[in-house]
Amino acid sequence: MELKDTIEMMNSDNYKERFKSEYQQTKIRYEKLKKFNTYIEAASITKFQKNEIEMPVHDCPDHLLLDQQRVMGEYLHILEVRAKIEGIELLE
């Protein structure tokens, strides 16, 4: 699923559909950030090895990107707990 696939749900009059959309959008963004952070970590580890991975270009300090990923993960967890309490079936 991509962000563009969540637009219809986000515009719904049904709060449960909007909730699902919010969850999916956050999850998509989280997974992209996680992938980016993993790439940065791998590049840092291989910096002094023969099979060096090129460091991705980014302006933000690594620790802020990791903090953002952690907080987004916590937010996803909160949404998952709320969905369970409210009987909202989240798309995986």
Side-chain angles (χ1 to χ4, degrees):
M1 182 176 279
E2 296 179 30
L3 286 174
K4 66 180 180 177
D5 300 325
T6 66
I7 293 171
E8 188 175 328
M9 285 190 305
M10 196 56 153
N11 291 320
S12 174
D13 290 334
N14 183 320
Y15 87 92
K16 289 185 178 186
E17 289 300 308
R18 291 192 310 275
F19 183 95
K20 291 177 190 180
S21 179
E22 178 178 354
Y23 176 79
Q24 283 302 319
Q25 289 174 4
T26 305
K27 187 166 182 145
I28 290 165
R29 290 183 173 103
Y30 172 83
E31 291 299 329
K32 287 182 180 185
L33 179 60
K34 180 181 174 195
K35 184 177 179 179
F36 187 66
N37 282 336
T38 299
Y39 192 87
I40 291 170
E41 182 179 359
S44 296
I45 290 170
T46 65
K47 188 161 69 171
F48 302 107
Q49 298 176 358
K50 290 180 182 177
N51 63 336
E52 184 175 337
I53 299 172
E54 188 175 328
M55 182 62 74
V57 177
H58 61 291
D59 296 327
C60 189
D62 297 352
H63 70 90
L64 279 179
L65 295 171
L66 290 170
D67 285 348
Q68 181 182 355
Q69 179 187 335
R70 178 185 50 78
V71 171
M72 288 174 78
E74 291 172 7
Y75 182 58
L76 284 170
H77 176 71
I78 290 167
L79 291 177
E80 290 164 358
V81 171
R82 182 179 162 200
K84 187 63 78 176
I85 290 169
E86 295 187 25
I88 299 171
E89 180 105 13
L90 297 174
L91 308 171
E92 291 296 326

